[in-house]
Amino acid sequence: MIRSELIQKIADENPHLYHRDVEAIVNTIFDEITAALAKGNRVELRGFGAFSVKERDSRTGRNPRTGEPVDVEEKRVPFFKTGKLLRDRLNGK
């Protein structure tokens, strides 16, 4: 499911809301999650999962085409850990 499909599904299930309002709500939720992660905070949605940021150290990688060493800078990457309810639902429990 992509963002536009999510917006459409929510709008279809809530006919009392305008499509543009649903779009604003979804965009606000994603923007707040992104802003919190950019600050290094953790975002937990009970039953769904938790988003956090992991630090990757700098390292020496390899260019897959030539095999020569390449310096890879340290970076921060998003990480998602599923919640227990989501895991149980996916596994049919």
Side-chain angles (χ1 to χ4, degrees), residues 31-43 52-53 55 76:
D31 290 344
E32 289 300 316
I33 291 171
T34 302
L37 292 175
K39 293 177 189 172
N41 296 332
R42 182 173 183 265
V43 177
S52 60
V53 177
E55 305 282 334
R76 297 168 52 192

Side-chain angles (χ1 to χ4, degrees), residues 74-89:
E74 65 180 26
K75 58 185 166 183
R76 297 168 52 192
V77 294
F79 178 75
F80 179 74
K81 181 177 180 185
T82 59
K84 185 177 184 323
L85 290 174
L86 178 60
R87 270 194 315 272
D88 288 348
R89 196 164 183 189

Side-chain angles (χ1 to χ4, degrees), residues 10-59:
I10 294 171
D12 291 345
E13 291 178 3
N14 297 281
H16 61 283
L17 295 174
Y18 291 112
H19 190 274
R20 67 178 179 268
D21 293 339
V22 172
E23 186 173 359
I25 291 166
V26 170
N27 288 337
T28 300
I29 291 169
F30 287 144
D31 290 344
E32 289 300 316
I33 291 171
T34 302
L37 292 175
K39 293 177 189 172
N41 296 332
R42 182 173 183 265
V43 177
E44 181 176 339
L45 304 172
R46 294 272 176 185
F48 183 71
F51 296 92
S52 60
V53 177
K54 292 210 175 205
E55 305 282 334
R56 296 267 170 96
D57 293 332
S58 59
R59 61 186 174 82

